[in-house]
PDB file of all heavy atoms in Angstrom:
ATOM      1  N   ALA R1346     -20.435 -74.803 -66.937  1.00 98.00           N
ATOM      2  CA  ALA R1346     -21.379 -75.777 -67.498  1.00 98.00           C
ATOM      3  C   ALA R1346     -21.610 -76.886 -66.482  1.00 98.00           C
ATOM      4  O   ALA R1346     -20.707 -77.236 -65.723  1.00 98.00           O
ATOM      5  CB  ALA R1346     -20.804 -76.375 -68.786  1.00 98.00           C
ATOM      6  N   ARG R1347     -22.847 -77.416 -66.494  1.00 98.00           N
ATOM      7  CA  ARG R1347     -23.196 -78.560 -65.644  1.00 98.00           C
ATOM      8  C   ARG R1347     -23.819 -79.630 -66.537  1.00 98.00           C
ATOM      9  O   ARG R1347     -25.033 -79.822 -66.523  1.00 98.00           O
ATOM     10  CB  ARG R1347     -24.191 -78.141 -64.551  1.00 98.00           C
ATOM     11  CG  ARG R1347     -23.669 -77.059 -63.598  1.00 98.00           C
ATOM     12  CD  ARG R1347     -24.719 -76.708 -62.557  1.00 98.00           C
ATOM     13  NE  ARG R1347     -25.073 -77.850 -61.757  1.00 98.00           N
ATOM     14  CZ  ARG R1347     -24.386 -78.265 -60.693  1.00 98.00           C
ATOM     15  NH1 ARG R1347     -23.318 -77.596 -60.294  1.00 98.00           N
ATOM     16  NH2 ARG R1347     -24.759 -79.325 -60.033  1.00 98.00           N
ATOM     17  N   PRO R1348     -22.986 -80.305 -67.342  1.00 98.00           N
ATOM     18  CA  PRO R1348     -23.547 -81.271 -68.293  1.00 98.00           C
ATOM     19  C   PRO R1348     -24.280 -82.411 -67.591  1.00 98.00           C
ATOM     20  O   PRO R1348     -23.745 -83.011 -66.661  1.00 98.00           O
ATOM     21  CB  PRO R1348     -22.312 -81.782 -69.052  1.00 98.00           C
ATOM     22  CG  PRO R1348     -21.145 -81.438 -68.186  1.00 98.00           C
ATOM     23  CD  PRO R1348     -21.518 -80.217 -67.417  1.00 98.00           C
ATOM     24  N   LYS R1349     -25.509 -82.695 -68.093  1.00 97.00           N
ATOM     25  CA  LYS R1349     -26.348 -83.721 -67.453  1.00 97.00           C
ATOM     26  C   LYS R1349     -26.147 -85.096 -68.063  1.00 97.00           C
ATOM     27  O   LYS R1349     -26.651 -86.087 -67.536  1.00 97.00           O
ATOM     28  CB  LYS R1349     -27.815 -83.331 -67.566  1.00 97.00           C
ATOM     29  CG  LYS R1349     -28.172 -82.189 -66.646  1.00 97.00           C
ATOM     30  CD  LYS R1349     -29.690 -82.149 -66.434  1.00 97.00           C
ATOM     31  CE  LYS R1349     -30.082 -80.953 -65.627  1.00 97.00           C
ATOM     32  NZ  LYS R1349     -29.702 -79.704 -66.318  1.00 97.00           N
ATOM     33  N   THR R1350     -25.466 -85.144 -69.210  1.00 97.00           N
ATOM     34  CA  THR R1350     -25.186 -86.442 -69.834  1.00 97.00           C
ATOM     35  C   THR R1350     -23.743 -86.405 -70.352  1.00 97.00           C
ATOM     36  O   THR R1350     -23.148 -85.325 -70.504  1.00 97.00           O
ATOM     37  CB  THR R1350     -26.106 -86.702 -71.047  1.00 97.00           C
ATOM     38  OG1 THR R1350     -25.835 -85.686 -72.019  1.00 97.00           O
ATOM     39  CG2 THR R1350     -27.578 -86.675 -70.672  1.00 97.00           C
ATOM     40  N   VAL R1351     -23.231 -87.595 -70.664  1.00 96.00           N
ATOM     41  CA  VAL R1351     -21.865 -87.674 -71.189  1.00 96.00           C
ATOM     42  C   VAL R1351     -21.801 -86.980 -72.549  1.00 96.00           C
ATOM     43  O   VAL R1351     -20.813 -86.322 -72.879  1.00 96.00           O
ATOM     44  CB  VAL R1351     -21.416 -89.153 -71.265  1.00 96.00           C
ATOM     45  CG1 VAL R1351     -20.094 -89.283 -71.998  1.00 96.00           C
ATOM     46  CG2 VAL R1351     -21.305 -89.726 -69.857  1.00 96.00           C
ATOM     47  N   ASN R1352     -22.890 -87.083 -73.334  1.00 96.00           N
ATOM     48  CA  ASN R1352     -22.909 -86.407 -74.636  1.00 96.00           C
ATOM     49  C   ASN R1352     -22.847 -84.896 -74.494  1.00 96.00           C
ATOM     50  O   ASN R1352     -22.162 -84.213 -75.249  1.00 96.00           O
ATOM     51  CB  ASN R1352     -24.167 -86.795 -75.419  1.00 96.00           C
ATOM     52  CG  ASN R1352     -23.843 -87.961 -76.329  1.00 96.00           C
ATOM     53  OD1 ASN R1352     -22.684 -88.182 -76.684  1.00 96.00           O
ATOM     54  ND2 ASN R1352     -24.875 -88.717 -76.673  1.00 96.00           N
ATOM     55  N   GLU R1353     -23.571 -84.381 -73.496  1.00 97.00           N
ATOM     56  CA  GLU R1353     -23.535 -82.939 -73.246  1.00 97.00           C
ATOM     57  C   GLU R1353     -22.117 -82.520 -72.843  1.00 97.00           C
ATOM     58  O   GLU R1353     -21.621 -81.485 -73.283  1.00 97.00           O
ATOM     59  CB  GLU R1353     -24.516 -82.619 -72.116  1.00 97.00           C
ATOM     60  CG  GLU R1353     -25.438 -81.464 -72.418  1.00 97.00           C
ATOM     61  CD  GLU R1353     -26.476 -81.305 -71.330  1.00 97.00           C
ATOM     62  OE1 GLU R1353     -27.515 -81.972 -71.431  1.00 97.00           O
ATOM     63  OE2 GLU R1353     -26.237 -80.542 -70.361  1.00 97.00           O
ATOM     64  N   LEU R1354     -21.485 -83.331 -72.018  1.00 97.00           N
ATOM     65  CA  LEU R1354     -20.095 -83.052 -71.617  1.00 97.00           C
ATOM     66  C   LEU R1354     -19.200 -82.990 -72.857  1.00 97.00           C
ATOM     67  O   LEU R1354     -18.368 -82.086 -72.998  1.00 97.00           O
ATOM     68  CB  LEU R1354     -19.599 -84.137 -70.655  1.00 97.00           C
ATOM     69  CG  LEU R1354     -18.101 -84.115 -70.357  1.00 97.00           C
ATOM     70  CD1 LEU R1354     -17.720 -82.857 -69.567  1.00 97.00           C
ATOM     71  CD2 LEU R1354     -17.676 -85.350 -69.561  1.00 97.00           C
ATOM     72  N   ARG R1355     -19.407 -83.949 -73.770  1.00 97.00           N
ATOM     73  CA  ARG R1355     -18.577 -83.989 -74.985  1.00 97.00           C
ATOM     74  C   ARG R1355     -18.744 -82.685 -75.782  1.00 97.00           C
ATOM     75  O   ARG R1355     -17.763 -82.121 -76.264  1.00 97.00           O
ATOM     76  CB  ARG R1355     -18.982 -85.219 -75.806  1.00 97.00           C
ATOM     77  CG  ARG R1355     -18.017 -85.544 -76.900  1.00 97.00           C
ATOM     78  CD  ARG R1355     -18.300 -86.875 -77.559  1.00 97.00           C
ATOM     79  NE  ARG R1355     -17.582 -87.967 -76.909  1.00 97.00           N
ATOM     80  CZ  ARG R1355     -18.149 -89.064 -76.460  1.00 97.00           C
ATOM     81  NH1 ARG R1355     -19.438 -89.234 -76.572  1.00 97.00           N
ATOM     82  NH2 ARG R1355     -17.414 -90.006 -75.889  1.00 97.00           N
ATOM     83  N   ARG R1356     -19.973 -82.199 -75.835  1.00 97.00           N
ATOM     84  CA  ARG R1356     -20.222 -80.951 -76.588  1.00 97.00           C
ATOM     85  C   ARG R1356     -19.560 -79.757 -75.893  1.00 97.00           C
ATOM     86  O   ARG R1356     -18.996 -78.880 -76.541  1.00 97.00           O
ATOM     87  CB  ARG R1356     -21.723 -80.728 -76.770  1.00 97.00           C
ATOM     88  CG  ARG R1356     -22.278 -81.599 -77.906  1.00 97.00           C
ATOM     89  CD  ARG R1356     -23.784 -81.750 -77.857  1.00 97.00           C
ATOM     90  NE  ARG R1356     -24.492 -80.487 -77.817  1.00 97.00           N
ATOM     91  CZ  ARG R1356     -25.664 -80.296 -77.182  1.00 97.00           C
ATOM     92  NH1 ARG R1356     -26.231 -81.285 -76.531  1.00 97.00           N
ATOM     93  NH2 ARG R1356     -26.234 -79.120 -77.201  1.00 97.00           N
ATOM     94  N   VAL R1357     -19.588 -79.732 -74.582  1.00 98.00           N
ATOM     95  CA  VAL R1357     -18.923 -78.634 -73.849  1.00 98.00           C
ATOM     96  C   VAL R1357     -17.417 -78.677 -74.138  1.00 98.00           C
ATOM     97  O   VAL R1357     -16.794 -77.640 -74.396  1.00 98.00           O
ATOM     98  CB  VAL R1357     -19.184 -78.753 -72.328  1.00 98.00           C
ATOM     99  CG1 VAL R1357     -18.364 -77.718 -71.560  1.00 98.00           C
ATOM    100  CG2 VAL R1357     -20.657 -78.613 -72.009  1.00 98.00           C
ATOM    101  N   LEU R1358     -16.853 -79.870 -74.130  1.00 97.00           N
ATOM    102  CA  LEU R1358     -15.408 -79.991 -74.369  1.00 97.00           C
ATOM    103  C   LEU R1358     -15.060 -79.546 -75.786  1.00 97.00           C
ATOM    104  O   LEU R1358     -14.010 -78.951 -76.017  1.00 97.00           O
ATOM    105  CB  LEU R1358     -14.937 -81.432 -74.126  1.00 97.00           C
ATOM    106  CG  LEU R1358     -15.034 -81.917 -72.677  1.00 97.00           C
ATOM    107  CD1 LEU R1358     -14.550 -83.357 -72.561  1.00 97.00           C
ATOM    108  CD2 LEU R1358     -14.233 -81.025 -71.730  1.00 97.00           C
ATOM    109  N   GLU R1359     -15.964 -79.816 -76.735  1.00 97.00           N
ATOM    110  CA  GLU R1359     -15.719 -79.369 -78.120  1.00 97.00           C
ATOM    111  C   GLU R1359     -15.654 -77.846 -78.180  1.00 97.00           C
ATOM    112  O   GLU R1359     -14.788 -77.281 -78.846  1.00 97.00           O
ATOM    113  CB  GLU R1359     -16.815 -79.908 -79.050  1.00 97.00           C
ATOM    114  CG  GLU R1359     -16.551 -81.359 -79.456  1.00 97.00           C
ATOM    115  CD  GLU R1359     -17.807 -82.058 -80.009  1.00 97.00           C
ATOM    116  OE1 GLU R1359     -18.803 -81.364 -80.303  1.00 97.00           O
ATOM    117  OE2 GLU R1359     -17.764 -83.295 -80.109  1.00 97.00           O
ATOM    118  N   VAL R1360     -16.559 -77.187 -77.460  1.00 97.00           N
ATOM    119  CA  VAL R1360     -16.551 -75.713 -77.418  1.00 97.00           C
ATOM    120  C   VAL R1360     -15.212 -75.239 -76.839  1.00 97.00           C
ATOM    121  O   VAL R1360     -14.569 -74.329 -77.374  1.00 97.00           O
ATOM    122  CB  VAL R1360     -17.735 -75.181 -76.562  1.00 97.00           C
ATOM    123  CG1 VAL R1360     -17.602 -73.684 -76.326  1.00 97.00           C
ATOM    124  CG2 VAL R1360     -19.064 -75.527 -77.211  1.00 97.00           C
ATOM    125  N   CYS R1361     -14.781 -75.871 -75.748  1.00 97.00           N
ATOM    126  CA  CYS R1361     -13.521 -75.459 -75.099  1.00 97.00           C
ATOM    127  C   CYS R1361     -12.332 -75.633 -76.038  1.00 97.00           C
ATOM    128  O   CYS R1361     -11.447 -74.783 -76.095  1.00 97.00           O
ATOM    129  CB  CYS R1361     -13.283 -76.270 -73.822  1.00 97.00           C
ATOM    130  SG  CYS R1361     -14.530 -75.988 -72.569  1.00 97.00           S
ATOM    131  N   ARG R1362     -12.347 -76.761 -76.784  1.00 96.00           N
ATOM    132  CA  ARG R1362     -11.240 -77.003 -77.719  1.00 96.00           C
ATOM    133  C   ARG R1362     -11.261 -75.963 -78.831  1.00 96.00           C
ATOM    134  O   ARG R1362     -10.237 -75.363 -79.152  1.00 96.00           O
ATOM    135  CB  ARG R1362     -11.349 -78.405 -78.321  1.00 96.00           C
ATOM    136  CG  ARG R1362     -10.696 -79.478 -77.462  1.00 96.00           C
ATOM    137  CD  ARG R1362     -10.449 -80.764 -78.253  1.00 96.00           C
ATOM    138  NE  ARG R1362     -11.681 -81.431 -78.656  1.00 96.00           N
ATOM    139  CZ  ARG R1362     -12.357 -82.278 -77.887  1.00 96.00           C
ATOM    140  NH1 ARG R1362     -11.924 -82.570 -76.679  1.00 96.00           N
ATOM    141  NH2 ARG R1362     -13.461 -82.844 -78.324  1.00 96.00           N
ATOM    142  N   ALA R1363     -12.446 -75.710 -79.380  1.00 96.00           N
ATOM    143  CA  ALA R1363     -12.563 -74.775 -80.508  1.00 96.00           C
ATOM    144  C   ALA R1363     -12.131 -73.370 -80.078  1.00 96.00           C
ATOM    145  O   ALA R1363     -11.451 -72.668 -80.820  1.00 96.00           O
ATOM    146  CB  ALA R1363     -13.996 -74.772 -81.027  1.00 96.00           C
ATOM    147  N   ASP R1364     -12.528 -72.964 -78.885  1.00 97.00           N
ATOM    148  CA  ASP R1364     -12.231 -71.591 -78.430  1.00 97.00           C
ATOM    149  C   ASP R1364     -10.998 -71.526 -77.532  1.00 97.00           C
ATOM    150  O   ASP R1364     -10.719 -70.486 -76.933  1.00 97.00           O
ATOM    151  CB  ASP R1364     -13.459 -71.020 -77.683  1.00 97.00           C
ATOM    152  CG  ASP R1364     -14.641 -70.836 -78.616  1.00 97.00           C
ATOM    153  OD1 ASP R1364     -14.443 -70.940 -79.839  1.00 97.00           O
ATOM    154  OD2 ASP R1364     -15.754 -70.610 -78.115  1.00 97.00           O
ATOM    155  N   ARG R1365     -10.291 -72.636 -77.434  1.00 97.00           N
ATOM    156  CA  ARG R1365      -9.075 -72.721 -76.600  1.00 97.00           C
ATOM    157  C   ARG R1365      -9.312 -72.202 -75.183  1.00 97.00           C
ATOM    158  O   ARG R1365      -8.541 -71.381 -74.661  1.00 97.00           O
ATOM    159  CB  ARG R1365      -7.920 -71.931 -77.238  1.00 97.00           C
ATOM    160  CG  ARG R1365      -7.493 -72.510 -78.553  1.00 97.00           C
ATOM    161  CD  ARG R1365      -6.380 -71.690 -79.168  1.00 97.00           C
ATOM    162  NE  ARG R1365      -6.054 -72.164 -80.500  1.00 97.00           N
ATOM    163  CZ  ARG R1365      -5.273 -73.202 -80.745  1.00 97.00           C
ATOM    164  NH1 ARG R1365      -4.721 -73.870 -79.763  1.00 97.00           N
ATOM    165  NH2 ARG R1365      -5.035 -73.576 -81.985  1.00 97.00           N
TER     166      ARG R1365
END
Side-chain angles (χ1 to χ4, degrees):
R1347 299 180 61 83
K1349 287 199 185 61
T1350 62
V1351 171
N1352 266 337
E1353 228 174 273
L1354 169 67
R1355 193 171 269 127
R1356 281 162 54 212
V1357 173
L1358 294 180
E1359 279 162 13
V1360 171
C1361 296
R1362 274 197 293 275
D1364 294 349
R1365 296 179 186 279

